[in-house]
Amino acid sequence: FTPVTVNEYGQIGPQAVGWYGVQCSDGNIETLDLSAVGLSGSLPTQIGYMTTMGNSFWIHENQITGSIPTEIGLWTDFSEFLWLQSNK
């Protein structure tokens, strides 16, 4: 496992290109689709560090628990879908 680097602009390093469910453009995550893959636990507040999150974040149909971190509000470029339904 190689950790993904995030620069001061919220852009990810090239390690994540080609990962399952991750679609990138110019170093930015455009879509993160991890729906129905068996994720469990809570969303960490650090999720807000992905400030250049693009247009879609899908994690529905998993076992996610807890509250939605307010740090998601730091996603300045987020524009379309936040799908969280069918979790715990």
Side-chain angles (χ1 to χ4, degrees):
F1 175 71
T2 303
V4 175
T5 56
V6 179
N7 68 19
E8 69 267 24
Y9 304 107
Q11 295 175 315
I12 61 170
Q15 305 94 327
V17 175
W19 282 7
Y20 176 84
V22 179
Q23 294 179 1
C24 301
S25 175
D26 297 324
N28 297 317
I29 298 173
E30 290 296 319
T31 300
L32 184 57
D33 182 358
L34 298 175
S35 54
V37 295
L39 294 176
S40 61
S42 60
L43 295 175
T45 58
Q46 291 87 348
I47 200 164
Y49 296 156
M50 298 188 320
T51 55
T52 58
M53 182 66 189
N55 58 22
S56 299
F57 181 56
W58 300 356
I59 58 167
H60 62 285
E61 297 180 21
N62 283 292
Q63 301 296 314
I64 304 295
T65 59
S67 300
I68 300 169
T70 58
E71 288 80 2
I72 285 179
L74 298 172
W75 293 354
T76 56
D77 295 334
F78 191 73
S79 61
E80 290 187 33
F81 299 106
L82 178 62
W83 288 23
L84 303 171
Q85 73 271 11
S86 299
N87 281 287
K88 291 187 173 194

